[in-house]
């Protein structure tokens, strides 16, 4: 049996859409829409699974005045 390690969201490198939503306060539908673009700087695709690069998301949001 494997032990599951719980890593805090703010220490994870990549987040699921649900984790990124909780972390950023942006809704899951909005995050999915934002990450559909091919030039999205903070999305990482693992097959069909969409992961959010936490640090790049922070940098991206710092430069926005609205989403």
């Amino acid at each position: 049996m494997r032990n599951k390690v719980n890593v805090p969201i703010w220490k994870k490198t990549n987040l699921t859409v649900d984790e990124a939503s909780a972390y950023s306060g942006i809704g899951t539908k909005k995050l999915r829409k934002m990450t559909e673009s091919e030039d999205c700087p903070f999305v990482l695709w693992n097959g069909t699974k969409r992961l959010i690069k936490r640090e790049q998301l922070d940098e991206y949001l710092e430069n926005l005045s609205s989403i």
Side-chain angles (χ1 to χ4, degrees):
M1 187 151 112
R2 294 167 57 163
N3 293 333
K4 187 172 183 178
V5 177
N6 289 326
V7 178
I9 289 177
W10 60 90
K11 289 192 173 188
K12 288 185 174 185
T13 303
N14 299 308
L15 308 172
T16 65
V17 173
D18 289 336
E19 289 172 336
S21 177
Y23 175 78
S24 67
I26 301 171
T28 57
K29 288 181 183 179
K30 184 67 173 183
L31 281 170
R32 282 190 177 90
K33 185 176 180 184
M34 291 168 66
T35 57
E36 286 177 0
S37 171
E38 287 197 22
D39 61 342
C40 180
F42 56 87
V43 68
L44 172 67
W45 290 96
N46 182 9
T48 59
K49 185 174 183 178
R50 183 185 331 228
L51 296 172
I52 308 296
K53 300 174 191 176
R54 184 185 49 81
E55 291 179 357
Q56 284 86 346
L57 175 62
D58 286 339
E59 291 173 13
Y60 180 79
L61 293 175
E62 283 179 15
N63 297 318
L64 294 179
S65 58
S66 67
I67 50 174

